[in-house]
Amino acid sequence: MPPTDGPRQDAPGARQGIRIRLEVAFADFRLDVDLDLPGRGVTALFGHSGSGKTTLLRCVAGLEPAARGVLTVNGECWQDSARGLFVPPHRRQLGYVFQEASLFPHLSVRRNLEFGLRRIPAAARKVSLAQATALLGIDHLLERMPDRLSGGERQRVGMARALLTSPRILLMDEPLAALDARRKQEILPYLERLHDELDIPVLYVSHAAEEVVRLADHVVMLGEGRVMAAGELRATMARLDLPTAFTEDAGVVVEGRVAEHDDHYHLTRLDFPGGAVWVSRQVAELGRMLRFRVHARDVSLADHQVEGTSIVNLLPVVIDEIVGADTAAHVLVKMDAGGTPLVARITRRSSEQLVLRPGRRMWAQIKSVALLG
Amino acid sequence: MPPTDGPRQDAPGARQGIRIRLEVAFADFRLDVDLDLPGRGVTALFGHSGSGKTTLLRCVAGLEPAARGVLTVNGECWQDSARGLFVPPHRRQLGYVFQEASLFPHLSVRRNLEFGLRRIPAAARKVSLAQATALLGIDHLLERMPDRLSGGERQRVGMARALLTSPRILLMDEPLAALDARRKQEILPYLERLHDELDIPVLYVSHAAEEVVRLADHVVMLGEGRVMAAGELRATMARLDLPTAFTEDAGVVVEGRVAEHDDHYHLTRLDFPGGAVWVSRQVAELGRMLRFRVHARDVSLADHQVEGTSIVNLLPVVIDEIVGADTAAHVLVKMDAGGTPLVARITRRSSEQLVLRPGRRMWAQIKSVALLG
Amino acid sequence: AEDTVTIAAAADLKFALDEIVAAYRSRQSGDRVEVIYGSSGKFATQIRQGAPFDLYFSADIAYPRELEAAGLAAGPTRPYALGRIVLWSNSRDASALRLQDLADPALGRIAIANPRHAPYGKRAEEALRAAGVWDAVQGRLVQGENIAQTAQFVQSGNAGIGIIALSLALNPTLAQQGGYALIDDALHEPLEQGFILTRRAAGNAAAARFADFMQDEVARAIMRRYGFVLPGEGGAR
Amino acid sequence: MSSLSSADWSAVWLTLKLATVSTVILLLVGTPIAWWLARTRSKWKGVVGAVVALPLVLPPTVIGFYLLLAMGPNGPVGQLTEALGIGLLPFSFAGLVVGSVIYSLPFVVQPVHNAFEAIGRRPLEVAATLRAGPWDSFFNVALPLARPGFVTATILGFAHTVGEFGVVLMIGGNIPDKTRVVSVAIYDHVEALEYAEAHWLAGGMLAFSFLVLLALYGRRYRTGGGLG
Amino acid sequence: MSSLSSADWSAVWLTLKLATVSTVILLLVGTPIAWWLARTRSKWKGVVGAVVALPLVLPPTVIGFYLLLAMGPNGPVGQLTEALGIGLLPFSFAGLVVGSVIYSLPFVVQPVHNAFEAIGRRPLEVAATLRAGPWDSFFNVALPLARPGFVTATILGFAHTVGEFGVVLMIGGNIPDKTRVVSVAIYDHVEALEYAEAHWLAGGMLAFSFLVLLALYGRRYRTGGGLG
Ligand SMILES: Nc1ncnc2c1ncn2[C@@H]1O[C@H](COP(=O)(O)OP(=O)(O)OP(=O)(O)O)[C@@H](O)[C@H]1O
Ligand SMILES: Nc1ncnc2c1ncn2[C@@H]1O[C@H](COP(=O)(O)OP(=O)(O)OP(=O)(O)O)[C@@H](O)[C@H]1O
Ligand code: MOO
Ligand SMILES: [Mg+2]
Ligand SMILES: [Mg+2]
């Protein structure tokens, strides 16, 4: 049973999920959010600079003592101001990757990493030091002092340090911002696996739509301290009316079943209601569900089943709706591919030349390379 | 004439350009570069985390006193260790946007901004406080202290502060990393104009290929403290043998002349040797040269002139070469479009099914939306 | 176990008492005697607060009498000497000087002990007033915390001349330097010095032995040699 | 150092003992006060800070005098210690320790306070997210980061105690082996015109202190600045 | 405070004057030393640091004694000042200032040194890229950022001078209006058993100092940490 000043367990069959009903006010800013988030998987926090993303993470971590409200994480109540309950940060079993790496300047990289690791029971350690350092490519830095590291190196050490506490929830404030593409490519799949294996919820602040789409199950869009939109990734990203900066990044996320491997051409076929796409060979057993994103700008439309091109994926679709896009030159075309929504971003001229209108049957061309690998 | 301890002007007809021949060694790292960069325009510094990008900028700024070698910026010699010459940082008339914002904690945002501004002669001020704050969206923050700012807000103040010194060279260490897409969209064009109007060279560290391609004329790729590749943007980005993380981002940069505006469909046609592409309506007079990038992954190939699709841009090409790409599933196809090089990233299966080989004539399909707007 | 006697003594006794203690120890080799020198006033304050002194040799007799009246003494106050003050200089022969000469600014600074709480300072002030030069020397007076420090001001040359205890001027080190002029004891109240056994010393046989030793001819001879006039004896050199 | 008498040696020994004991107590007492001052948002912060700093402005003789009155047989502290069977503190080693601690407290609290403030709250927040409770953070993050402040506090506290004179003069009584510390011993030599002895003792102190300070300086935490 | 005699008032006035003048000189002398210590990579750093800290361990009476010898007519300083026509320093206000500055120097240098080190090099690098030369950076960046250290240095330096007793005893000579400072005046009252006067003077000092310290504490620079 938890200690009396530790997290309070609610009724035994307590519902999973994260309930955040918090508010805190600064001189010129006020955060006021009411969110119900899933108890596992990645929730992406979007929003412009200054919209309150960091503040929200800090409230969840218990680092803003002035915050009032209710916070429950998978049945554990961490804060309930009405009841006077406030679990201090060190009892919340969370991992926090700060926006600035914030390494301890008096400890070597190794001792920074061990700081959290040594404070959890050996039995609770799900990530080993060797694993974390290998993943983040920092083995050769272990004996360095933090002031001898580059910006990206510091950031990676900060991430490894948080992972090593095997937390029950992970708060990440733009952890990949300072990393180069190759490193991101290495870390992203690990984070995906992490969230599969550790089965913990992750709150993830990011500006990069790519990252979010790849990782997130849920998205929350903040604006001036309030929740502008929140919900399941596919539903939220497909909403064309979002007053956002993301229409250029418009697209949908589709889940497909691994149906076939083509070992000669190193390809894998993913089936989903309404069609199939070929992607790079995936290391996944047949039948497994994989997620991929279809960027609106990677989808083109044709009035017939075009042959003799390098475009591998052709799907029959029915046009649902045509709406304005981010520039006057473009429109977003929302379609239905046998139950799976798709969005294409094409020029208005093409739309008129092809005489697109709701209900019309067309072929969607998807460059396979635009799919998530 | 400059003061004796100020920058030393070489011969009156001194050549323009930046000559960097510097080396500096840390315990586990050694930077050793020999670069000749253009004296105007943006040079992008690429390279993995820890490859020495920040160290190089610091050497140029004069912040690594241990660095040895020669550094000349547009005819002014800032360092020549053999001659014992070392111009101190404050006489180098440079602007430096640090990787971490590094605002003065004891000064308000306004006083941070004024710090540099007040130290240059009024006549030399090419950017006003109002301009800079409006551009970076920090007007409402002027009276705040830095510890009351969000991460992105700090970064923007740091950028504005550097711009306000109207420097003769601008060093930017990932200035946009912490910014959201919308803000980037606002700042990038300004930086472009800045470099047109101020006519100063910019050394720009970035992980985001998009940014680089949009801004840079020149690229330098660093790896373990050495120059892996350096040169004019188009030439360097089209080289397929770069041992880089950027093959996924492979592509070419093309310069086209504004040839026609279609005000009905809000499109602009850009002509270049070998063809033309349609892009979003540009605010640019006819005849002006504009640059755009063609991502390899946005190019598909067809064996005939496909009609009835939303793809606007179709160019006849001749295949030059087919090489391996970053995954076994893909190949990079290098082509010649009437003198302009193009690259396509397609599946190996498509390549075989279309029987691609050097010398074969094909049609390149470019989604107009993939062009730089 | 050996018996220990702790003595608090006025600074003017510094050299004389050291010799007396040496003589005493050659006779009573079993007793340990510690002497602490300082200003008489400070010791009086400390004894009121329970300082562990067995004997208190003051530079005047008023302080021990007050302690006796306050019940802090084991036995009556015993006078043990009359002190004398002298003019002494390190840098010139003072033996030919008289108090009136101090009005001459050429002599430089004049050191005296603090008249507020050092008896030797009090007497110096009285003598200067009686000689009619008190006002004339005001601007040049410097005060030592006790009479030994006053001597040290003069000895280091920072004061041109000083009024110090005869007992100090007769110390071999100082006697080699300069010279002194005895000040007429008619110009000031007598420097009647007394000591007490403190209440704390009641029952300390060694303390009583040492007190008695002050009457011994050996001790008296030493005192005389340092220029003290002993009770019942008259005149000085 | 054949020129030092055994009495001088015992003064040296006593001084080192006094300074060591006092410094240890000063650090134990001063650190929590400094921590509280650096962290609290209480309205009493200013008042407590000022009270702790007060011994600074009182001349040591004044402190000594009031301590003498307070700890004497008629003073409140004296009556308490007597009732407790400890006896009276003045003229004892314990009394000197009490005096030194009060006298030197601000010299320990001030630098440590500054060092704690310079840390900022971020490292402690980070420590909390890494499961370190308040005590754990204090010992493993705040203390090491405040190291330069502690070095300074130790130097100032120790040295101030070694150099103490006024307080000792009042409440010490200059008793050999108990309260005659070096400062008083040198003073006595000087007053007795025993300059050679004074020079030896002062010179020895100086040389010794120089070496200790040199060692401490060599080990100062070199890098400054905030979080890496 | 009708109980303070005019002599006492002039001791108070003299003390404040001495402490103010000394503190100003201490800051002027101590700041460059602290800056050099914080920035240099010279091998002499440790030695200079230790030398500056040395006055800490010497009892004030010892410092006073050696100053008396050095500044006296036979001492090197004394012969210099006489040759320069300044006259002798002992028993003069100028002499007290010299003594106070030497005696209190470490109390000013140490906190400022710590504060300078805590700044790190980044803010100065930033300032340089914003066209601030070394002096400009020093005054507009380093000094403001080291503010808590300067507050502490000022408090410690001022207070230490106010509380000084041993040095004054040795080189002061207790001359009214010139060298009789409060610490000596209180001592005299106590020794003369004028306890009431001593209480008034000590109590007044205490109250005054408390108010000054309270004001200083209220204005301490609150936020800590590195660059924002
Ligand atoms: N002061 C130092 N002492 C020792 N090594 C250092 C120091 N500063 C940087 N390094 C090392 O030098 C290498 C280059 O660092 P630099 O900061 O230039 O990298 P970078 O290319 O800017 O990386 P990032 O993208 O992560 O910011 C790194 O391996 C780093 O660990
Ligand atoms: N301690 C504070 N006091 C006053 N205002 C603050 C404080 N901390 C943050 N703010 C303000 O609150 C708002 C939200 O800040 P927050 O750090 O949560 O933004 P963010 O969404 O993380 O932005 P970014 O993407 O730039 O990091 C900002 O306008 C910021 O200026
Ligand atoms: O009591 Mo004294 O010897 O006059 O200083
Ligand atoms: Mg943030
Ligand atoms: Mg870097």
Side-chain angles (χ1 to χ4, degrees):
Chain A
M1 290 296 100
T4 44
D5 57 345
R8 190 178 303 182
Q9 205 86 32
D10 278 350
R15 70 220 159 264
Q16 294 293 293
I18 305 173
R19 168 121 183 85
I20 305 175
R21 171 77 198 90
L22 289 170
E23 54 181 285
V24 64
F26 298 136
D28 296 321
F29 177 80
R30 180 184 169 78
L31 180 80
D32 186 350
V33 296
D34 189 349
L35 285 166
D36 262 309
L37 302 176
R40 47 163 309 189
V42 177
T43 298
L45 278 178
F46 265 119
H48 299 142
S49 175
S51 58
K53 305 180 293 296
T54 299
T55 306
L56 178 56
L57 289 199
R58 287 177 57 82
C59 289
V60 171
L63 298 176
E64 291 289 351
R68 298 261 142 260
V70 179
L71 170 63
T72 313
V73 173
N74 287 343
E76 282 186 3
C77 184
W78 283 353
Q79 178 162 5
D80 187 344
S81 305
R83 283 195 290 155
L85 178 74
F86 182 84
V87 177
H90 66 283
R91 293 199 195 276
R92 292 192 179 192
Q93 296 191 41
L94 47 84
Y96 196 140
V97 183
F98 287 82
Q99 197 165 2
E100 310 85 24
S102 307
L103 304 184
F104 294 124
H106 65 300
L107 299 180
S108 67
V109 168
R110 180 191 298 283
R111 305 232 354 252
N112 261 285
L113 295 177
E114 287 172 351
F115 193 98
L117 185 63
R118 292 209 308 229
R119 280 167 174 77
I120 59 171
R125 294 179 195 157
K126 296 180 187 152
V127 185
S128 76
L129 191 78
Q131 276 178 318
T133 57
L135 165 74
L136 289 147
I138 51 177
D139 309 82
H140 61 297
L141 304 174
L142 282 175
E143 308 312 327
R144 291 257 191 101
M145 295 305 284
D147 62 349
R148 302 259 179 275
L149 298 179
S150 81
E153 287 164 350
R154 276 199 290 275
Q155 194 105 15
R156 284 180 277 156
V157 175
M159 270 187 74
R161 187 175 62 174
L163 290 179
L164 283 170
T165 62
S166 305
R168 303 188 50 172
I169 180 173
L170 197 52
L171 310 174
M172 309 186 102
D173 204 346
E174 303 197 53
L176 304 182
L179 299 188
D180 55 279
R182 187 186 61 174
R183 189 64 69 189
K184 273 187 192 165
Q185 294 301 329
E186 289 168 19
I187 294 175
L188 282 174
Y190 180 83
L191 288 181
E192 281 179 313
R193 256 185 292 135
L194 185 85
H195 112 242
D196 284 353
E197 285 168 18
L198 290 189
D199 195 22
I200 57 169
V202 179
L203 290 189
Y204 189 100
V205 172
S206 175
H207 289 127
E210 273 302 326
E211 268 170 49
V212 171
V213 160
R214 170 135 190 186
L215 287 171
D217 309 290
H218 249 68
V219 278
V220 172
M221 167 90 73
L222 286 183
E224 299 184 359
R226 312 193 143 264
V227 177
M228 310 294 284
E232 198 265 334
L233 177 72
R234 273 180 287 183
T236 312
M237 295 304 275
R239 274 172 62 192
L240 299 179
D241 59 336
L242 273 183
T244 80
F246 299 105
T247 54
E248 210 209 354
D249 286 322
V252 297
V253 177
V254 182
E255 211 159 24
R257 198 174 47 79
V258 176
E260 179 188 346
H261 292 305
D262 177 339
D263 283 335
H264 179 63
Y265 288 118
H266 292 271
L267 296 173
T268 292
R269 198 183 84 225
L270 302 176
D271 285 356
F272 57 90
V277 293
W278 287 94
V279 299
S280 287
R281 175 71 161 89
Q282 299 296 300
V283 191
E285 63 280 28
L286 294 182
R288 191 167 153 200
M289 299 305 284
L290 288 183
R291 209 154 39 149
F292 55 95
R293 188 185 194 213
V294 185
H295 255 298
R297 53 171 223 165
D298 288 325
V299 180
S300 54
L301 292 174
D303 55 10
H304 63 288
Q305 187 168 6
V306 183
E307 291 184 350
T309 80
S310 65
I311 299 181
V312 175
N313 302 302
L314 264 186
L315 302 173
V317 295
V318 179
I319 293 179
D320 276 344
E321 191 184 0
I322 301 164
V323 299
D326 50 330
T327 74
H330 295 99
V331 294
L332 290 174
V333 182
K334 201 172 175 186
M335 310 160 278
D336 178 74
T340 301
L342 279 182
V343 184
R345 183 172 181 271
I346 64 175
T347 60
R348 200 146 57 77
R349 187 167 67 178
S350 298
S351 167
E352 293 194 9
Q353 285 175 348
L354 292 173
V355 208
L356 299 186
R357 51 185 159 63
R360 178 156 180 209
R361 302 192 163 272
M362 295 291 285
W363 290 86
Q365 300 179 308
I366 305 169
K367 276 210 69 177
S368 67
V369 287
L371 300 172
L372 291 176
Chain B
M1 291 298 99
T4 45
D5 58 342
R8 188 178 305 181
Q9 206 86 32
D10 279 348
R15 68 218 159 268
Q16 294 292 293
I18 306 174
R19 167 122 183 85
I20 306 175
R21 171 79 197 87
L22 288 170
E23 54 181 285
V24 65
F26 299 137
D28 296 322
F29 177 80
R30 179 184 171 78
L31 180 81
D32 185 351
V33 297
D34 188 350
L35 285 166
D36 262 310
L37 303 176
R40 49 162 310 189
V42 176
T43 298
L45 278 178
F46 265 118
H48 299 143
S49 175
S51 58
K53 306 179 293 296
T54 299
T55 306
L56 179 56
L57 289 198
R58 287 176 58 82
C59 289
V60 172
L63 298 176
E64 291 290 349
R68 298 261 143 261
V70 180
L71 171 63
T72 314
V73 174
N74 286 344
E76 283 185 3
C77 183
W78 282 355
Q79 178 161 5
D80 186 344
S81 305
R83 285 196 289 156
L85 178 75
F86 182 85
V87 178
H90 66 282
R91 293 198 194 278
R92 294 192 177 192
Q93 296 191 41
L94 48 83
Y96 195 141
V97 182
F98 288 81
Q99 197 165 3
E100 311 84 23
S102 306
L103 304 183
F104 294 123
H106 64 299
L107 300 180
S108 67
V109 168
R110 179 192 297 283
R111 304 238 348 256
N112 261 284
L113 296 177
E114 288 172 350
F115 192 97
L117 185 64
R118 292 209 306 228
R119 279 166 176 77
I120 58 169
R125 293 178 196 158
K126 298 182 184 149
V127 185
S128 76
L129 191 79
Q131 275 177 315
T133 57
L135 165 73
L136 288 147
I138 51 176
D139 310 81
H140 62 296
L141 304 175
L142 283 176
E143 308 311 328
R144 289 255 192 103
M145 294 306 283
D147 62 348
R148 301 259 178 276
L149 298 180
S150 80
E153 287 164 350
R154 275 198 291 274
Q155 194 104 15
R156 285 180 275 155
V157 175
M159 271 188 73
R161 188 175 62 174
L163 290 178
L164 283 170
T165 61
S166 305
R168 303 190 48 174
I169 180 173
L170 197 52
L171 309 174
M172 309 187 99
D173 204 344
E174 303 195 54
L176 304 182
L179 300 187
D180 56 277
R182 186 185 63 173
R183 188 64 69 187
K184 274 187 194 167
Q185 294 301 330
E186 288 167 20
I187 293 175
L188 282 175
Y190 180 82
L191 289 181
E192 282 180 311
R193 256 185 292 135
L194 186 82
H195 110 242
D196 285 352
E197 286 169 18
L198 290 190
D199 194 23
I200 57 169
V202 180
L203 290 189
Y204 189 99
V205 172
S206 175
H207 288 128
E210 274 301 327
E211 268 170 49
V212 171
V213 161
R214 171 137 190 185
L215 286 172
D217 309 290
H218 248 67
V219 278
V220 172
M221 167 91 73
L222 286 183
E224 298 183 1
R226 312 193 142 264
V227 176
M228 310 295 285
E232 199 265 333
L233 178 72
R234 274 179 287 182
T236 311
M237 295 305 274
R239 277 171 61 191
L240 299 179
D241 58 339
L242 275 184
T244 79
F246 297 105
T247 56
E248 210 210 354
D249 285 323
V252 295
V253 177
V254 182
E255 211 159 25
R257 197 173 47 79
V258 177
E260 178 189 348
H261 293 302
D262 177 339
D263 284 335
H264 179 62
Y265 288 119
H266 293 271
L267 297 172
T268 292
R269 199 182 85 224
L270 302 177
D271 285 356
F272 57 91
V277 294
W278 287 96
V279 301
S280 288
R281 175 70 162 90
Q282 300 297 301
V283 191
E285 62 281 26
L286 293 183
R288 192 167 154 200
M289 299 305 284
L290 287 183
R291 208 153 39 150
F292 55 95
R293 186 183 196 213
V294 185
H295 256 296
R297 56 172 220 165
D298 288 326
V299 180
S300 54
L301 292 173
D303 54 10
H304 63 288
Q305 187 168 5
V306 183
E307 290 184 349
T309 79
S310 65
I311 299 179
V312 176
N313 302 303
L314 263 185
L315 301 173
V317 294
V318 179
I319 292 179
D320 276 342
E321 191 184 2
I322 300 164
V323 299
D326 52 329
T327 76
H330 294 98
V331 292
L332 290 174
V333 181
K334 200 173 174 187
M335 310 160 277
D336 178 74
T340 300
L342 278 181
V343 184
R345 182 173 182 269
I346 63 174
T347 62
R348 201 146 56 76
R349 186 166 67 177
S350 297
S351 168
E352 293 193 8
Q353 284 174 349
L354 292 172
V355 206
L356 299 186
R357 52 184 159 63
R360 181 159 178 207
R361 303 195 160 269
M362 297 289 286
W363 290 88
Q365 301 179 308
I366 305 170
K367 277 210 69 176
S368 66
V369 286
L371 300 173
L372 291 176
Chain C
E2 61 181 16
D3 289 311
T4 302
V5 188
T6 307
I7 302 171
D12 65 300
L13 289 172
K14 168 68 190 164
F15 304 105
L17 202 55
D18 277 353
E19 282 191 36
I20 293 172
V21 167
Y24 175 78
R25 283 185 45 94
S26 67
R27 183 176 303 177
Q28 297 285 341
S29 57
D31 290 353
R32 248 187 75 168
V33 184
E34 302 281 5
V35 191
I36 297 148
Y37 299 98
S39 88
S40 305
K42 176 177 67 198
F43 289 137
T45 308
Q46 289 178 332
I47 288 167
R48 284 171 190 272
Q49 302 304 328
F53 303 134
D54 300 307
L55 287 161
Y56 167 43
F57 285 82
S58 172
D60 78 355
I61 202 159
Y63 284 123
R65 285 210 171 118
E66 281 165 19
L67 293 178
E68 180 189 346
L72 292 162
T77 303
R78 302 191 219 172
Y80 65 91
L82 273 179
R84 294 297 301 272
I85 50 177
V86 299
L87 270 176
W88 180 73
S89 170
N90 181 16
S91 50
R92 67 181 69 236
D93 183 1
S95 57
L97 294 178
R98 297 177 312 131
L99 279 179
Q100 282 74 12
D101 298 328
L102 294 183
D104 178 4
L107 284 174
R109 292 203 179 86
I110 301 157
I112 63 172
N114 192 320
R116 308 271 302 282
H117 50 76
Y120 278 86
K122 265 181 220 157
R123 300 301 171 244
E125 177 180 343
E126 287 164 11
L128 287 169
R129 285 184 188 282
V133 291
W134 177 249
D135 292 330
V137 300
Q138 270 310 302
R140 292 184 289 127
L141 276 186
V142 298
Q143 298 178 356
E145 188 247 350
N146 61 53
I147 196 64
Q149 199 206 359
T150 307
Q152 185 236 310
F153 279 165
V154 182
Q155 200 259 350
S156 66
N158 283 293
I161 195 163
I163 298 178
I164 66 171
L166 172 62
S167 56
L168 297 180
L170 288 174
N171 161 268
T173 316
L174 297 194
Q176 287 167 10
Q177 306 164 334
Y180 68 85
L182 201 60
I183 292 170
D184 184 354
D185 60 2
L187 293 176
H188 59 82
E189 296 287 312
L191 263 165
E192 191 181 8
Q193 309 191 189
F195 77 91
I196 50 169
L197 273 161
T198 65
R199 189 174 60 189
R200 179 182 186 278
N204 183 336
R209 269 199 296 279
F210 189 88
D212 291 342
F213 184 71
M214 287 303 291
Q215 304 298 325
D216 192 285
E217 187 46 36
V218 174
R220 293 173 68 95
I222 295 171
M223 289 295 283
R224 255 184 242 113
R225 197 147 43 74
Y226 277 94
F228 288 106
V229 179
L230 298 182
E233 299 180 9
R237 271 182 273 180
Chain D
M1 298 227 191
S2 53
S3 288
L4 290 190
S5 68
S6 76
D8 286 339
W9 277 116
S10 76
V12 168
W13 169 239
L14 184 71
T15 303
L16 292 181
K17 198 171 94 177
L18 174 66
T20 306
V21 171
S22 298
T23 305
V24 169
I25 295 178
L26 278 166
L27 289 172
L28 291 178
V29 173
T31 304
I33 297 176
W35 180 249
W36 184 84
L37 285 173
R39 296 289 134 188
T40 186
R41 288 173 191 166
S42 156
K43 287 184 179 178
W44 294 98
K45 173 178 170 155
V47 175
V48 172
V51 166
V52 170
L54 264 192
L56 279 174
V57 275
L58 284 187
T61 38
V62 177
I63 298 180
F65 170 60
Y66 284 105
L67 283 177
L68 194 61
L69 293 189
M71 304 194 306
N74 307 317
V77 180
Q79 293 183 339
L80 182 72
T81 53
E82 283 204 309
L84 294 175
I86 304 172
L88 290 175
L89 292 177
F91 315 112
S92 70
F93 182 76
L96 283 195
V97 171
V98 171
S100 301
V101 167
I102 292 176
Y103 178 46
S104 297
L105 192 60
F107 294 87
V108 169
V109 170
Q110 290 275 348
V112 175
H113 177 178
N114 280 355
F116 280 147
E117 273 195 348
I119 294 176
R121 59 181 183 172
R122 175 55 64 90
L124 301 165
E125 292 181 351
V126 173
T129 68
L130 295 170
R131 311 297 158 75
W135 288 101
D136 190 349
S137 302
F138 177 76
F139 284 106
N140 293 300
V141 178
L143 284 194
L145 287 178
R147 186 177 149 165
F150 277 96
V151 172
T152 292
T154 306
I155 293 178
L156 294 185
F158 190 93
H160 206 233
T161 306
V162 168
E164 175 177 280
F165 178 75
V167 174
V168 173
L169 205 65
M170 294 302 277
I171 65 171
N174 199 359
I175 300 164
D177 297 335
K178 274 171 73 188
T179 63
R180 180 182 291 158
V181 294
V182 169
S183 58
V184 175
I186 301 179
Y187 182 69
D188 281 352
H189 281 308
V190 168
E191 302 267 288
L193 308 178
E194 298 160 358
Y195 288 178
E197 286 85 343
H199 294 340
W200 270 107
L201 203 48
M205 288 266 301
L206 213 60
F208 171 77
S209 312
F210 180 77
L211 294 177
V212 171
L213 287 169
L214 201 60
L216 273 173
Y217 254 84
R219 299 189 51 196
R220 277 184 76 101
Y221 186 48
R222 268 150 204 282
T223 55
L227 283 180
Chain E
M1 296 226 192
S2 53
S3 289
L4 289 192
S5 68
S6 77
D8 286 339
W9 276 116
S10 77
V12 168
W13 169 238
L14 184 71
T15 302
L16 293 181
K17 196 170 95 178
L18 174 66
T20 306
V21 171
S22 299
T23 305
V24 169
I25 295 178
L26 279 166
L27 289 173
L28 291 179
V29 173
T31 304
I33 297 176
W35 180 250
W36 185 84
L37 285 173
R39 295 289 134 189
T40 186
R41 286 171 192 168
S42 157
K43 287 184 177 175
W44 294 99
K45 175 178 168 152
V47 175
V48 173
V51 166
V52 170
L54 265 191
L56 279 173
V57 273
L58 283 186
T61 38
V62 176
I63 298 181
F65 171 60
Y66 285 107
L67 283 176
L68 194 61
L69 292 189
M71 305 195 304
N74 308 316
V77 180
Q79 292 181 339
L80 182 74
T81 53
E82 282 203 309
L84 294 174
I86 306 172
L88 291 175
L89 291 176
F91 313 124
S92 70
F93 182 75
L96 284 195
V97 170
V98 171
S100 303
V101 167
I102 292 176
Y103 178 46
S104 297
L105 191 60
F107 293 87
V108 170
V109 170
Q110 289 276 348
V112 175
H113 177 179
N114 281 356
F116 280 148
E117 272 195 349
I119 293 176
R121 57 181 185 172
R122 175 55 63 90
L124 300 166
E125 293 181 350
V126 173
T129 68
L130 295 170
R131 311 297 159 76
W135 289 101
D136 189 349
S137 301
F138 177 76
F139 284 107
N140 294 300
V141 178
L143 285 194
L145 287 177
R147 185 177 150 163
F150 277 96
V151 172
T152 291
T154 306
I155 293 179
L156 294 185
F158 190 92
H160 206 233
T161 306
V162 168
E164 176 177 278
F165 177 75
V167 175
V168 174
L169 201 65
M170 295 303 276
I171 64 171
N174 201 3
I175 303 170
D177 295 336
K178 275 170 74 187
T179 64
R180 181 185 291 157
V181 294
V182 168
S183 58
V184 175
I186 300 179
Y187 181 73
D188 285 349
H189 281 309
V190 169
E191 300 269 287
L193 305 180
E194 298 160 358
Y195 288 179
E197 286 85 344
H199 293 342
W200 270 107
L201 202 48
M205 288 269 299
L206 212 62
F208 171 76
S209 312
F210 179 78
L211 294 177
V212 171
L213 287 169
L214 200 61
L216 273 173
Y217 253 84
R219 298 189 53 195
R220 276 184 76 100
Y221 186 49
R222 267 148 203 283
T223 56
L227 284 178

